[in-house]
Amino acid sequence: MQQPRLAALSPIMAALFLSACASAASQPVVVAPPAPSATHARLLEDVRILAADDMQGRDTGAPGGEMARDYIVGRLDGLGVVAPPMGRLQPWEMQGRTRTGPKTFNGVNVIGLIPGTRVADRYIVVTAHYDHVGVNAEGQVFNGADDNASGVATMLALAAELKRQAPEHSVLIVALDGEEHGLLGAKHFVEAPPVPLESIAMNLNFDMTARAETDGKLWVTGTYQNPNLRPILEGIRPNGAVALAFGKDTPQDTGEDNWVESSDHAAFYRAQVPFLYLGVNYHPDYHRPSDDFERITPSVFISATELSLTSFRALDAALDR
């Protein structure tokens, strides 16, 4: 999530995610829950790797950003997620904001395509930005484990699930660059989409999906703007200690409590494409060097990701009926 304008798994971890699996399995949902092959261990490993110090905060145009991009490309290739006809990479050049003023950035979006079985000519665009804010002048690395290595890991878990059981809509899996500098990659994607904009049924954006322990909620933003989408998700029950919550999108939600423009989904919203944003509330490590992998509670992150996958399945089944 962009800053508001106002301001090898250890045995212990392995035990934690196995415990979370057992807890999540006991929770009823309105659609079939993701299969165990969604791979909780892989989910956690993806975050650990993307938020490691050697990624140097994954800043756009920096070596760490390129390392993160290469990792995501390798993961999509390994899952068998094909590239769209335009290719796997979507480079762009755009002016964005920095701590010291405007700067021109050269970024790259990463795109995968998973064909649908019912409405193959309609697309759900699933997005998560892989960039973060890099290293500050004091040499502190902002690893961005929650923001947004977590959203990328959730998106990759969804890609694995959709390769196991194909979606009804075709799905574009898009790892966006340049979010922290002004939603740059998302703006370029909407300006030069790999499929006609009118064929996009909706955008589902994951940004900060790991740290739901703040309030026990995975927030769904965008149902005020797209009221037809709320009934699709309202029946989904909590998973472990995490429940879906709706809001952060009304005229009464002001400042940093309004998330309609807070992440990449804003570019789709401005282009009049239906959107939903799934993310957790602010926490003390948000946009600080302390946003590290070790701060993530595995069971909470697993629950939020399973809710995200279940939400996708519900939307995929209900749209274009």
Side-chain angles (χ1 to χ4, degrees):
M1 185 189 290
Q2 63 176 348
Q3 193 160 15
R5 293 189 175 95
L6 298 178
L9 294 173
S10 69
I12 292 174
M13 185 154 305
L16 283 169
F17 82 71
L18 287 172
S19 174
C21 292
S23 174
S26 66
Q27 297 295 330
V29 292
V30 295
V31 295
S37 60
T39 318
H40 300 152
R42 183 76 259 181
L43 175 76
L44 297 169
E45 186 72 349
D46 283 338
V47 176
R48 187 190 67 78
I49 291 171
L50 288 169
D53 286 345
D54 61 2
M55 293 286 183
Q56 291 290 295
R58 307 187 307 276
D59 199 2
T60 301
E66 184 177 355
M67 286 178 62
R69 180 166 64 251
D70 289 346
Y71 178 78
I72 294 165
V73 169
R75 288 282 286 118
L76 291 176
D77 288 347
L79 288 169
V81 176
V82 301
M86 69 169 287
R88 175 74 80 203
L89 303 180
Q90 184 185 45
W92 49 263
E93 181 179 295
M94 198 176 301
Q95 188 176 82
R97 60 174 183 265
T98 72
R99 304 180 186 100
T100 57
K103 175 184 173 180
T104 298
F105 289 92
N106 290 283
V108 183
N109 300 331
V110 181
I111 308 176
L113 172 64
I114 302 175
T117 58
R118 177 170 61 87
V119 275
D121 59 345
R122 295 276 287 165
Y123 297 83
I124 297 177
V125 179
V126 179
T127 53
H129 75 91
Y130 67 90
D131 65 296
H132 195 49
V133 299
V135 183
N136 68 11
E138 291 73 42
Q140 294 175 301
V141 179
F142 288 67
N143 284 321
D146 193 22
D147 187 11
N148 184 36
S150 66
V152 174
T154 294
M155 182 174 69
L156 291 172
L158 176 61
E161 166 67 10
L162 299 183
K163 289 300 294 182
R164 184 191 69 82
Q165 181 180 340
E168 298 186 23
H169 291 76
S170 291
V171 176
L172 289 169
I173 299 289
V174 187
L176 292 164
D177 199 358
E179 190 267 1
E180 299 287 2
H181 296 294
L183 318 183
L184 305 183
K187 290 175 180 177
H188 181 78
F189 182 92
V190 169
E191 291 169 0
V195 298
L197 205 60
E198 58 271 19
S199 70
I200 298 177
M202 71 170 296
N203 166 233
L204 182 62
N205 185 37
F206 300 138
D207 193 349
M208 296 173 57
T209 55
R211 301 282 299 275
E213 68 272 10
T214 300
D215 56 11
K217 296 173 181 177
L218 180 66
W219 285 90
V220 182
T221 291
T223 60
Y224 179 85
Q225 291 72 25
N226 306 281
N228 60 308
L229 300 180
R230 180 162 178 163
I232 299 172
L233 302 184
E234 280 185 320
I236 295 176
R237 302 285 185 85
N239 187 302
V242 185
L244 293 181
F246 300 86
K248 311 285 189 181
D249 54 12
T250 73
Q252 290 73 42
D253 298 313
T254 59
E256 65 180 14
D257 288 326
N258 191 302
W259 295 354
V260 174
E261 301 273 347
S262 69
S263 183
D264 291 314
H265 55 276
F268 293 85
Y269 171 54
R270 294 168 192 165
Q272 300 184 322
V273 175
F275 75 94
L276 289 179
Y277 164 39
L278 271 62
V280 304
N281 219 331
Y282 299 111
H283 50 76
D285 300 310
Y286 170 69
H287 269 246
R288 295 181 181 275
S290 53
D291 184 9
D292 290 327
F293 173 71
E294 291 75 17
R295 300 291 181 102
I296 292 173
T297 301
S299 61
V300 173
F301 182 32
I302 288 165
S303 287
T305 292
E306 291 200 342
L307 279 176
S308 299
L309 271 59
T310 299
S311 296
F312 173 89
R313 288 294 191 188
L315 292 163
D316 184 36
L319 293 174
D320 296 302
R321 291 289 185 183

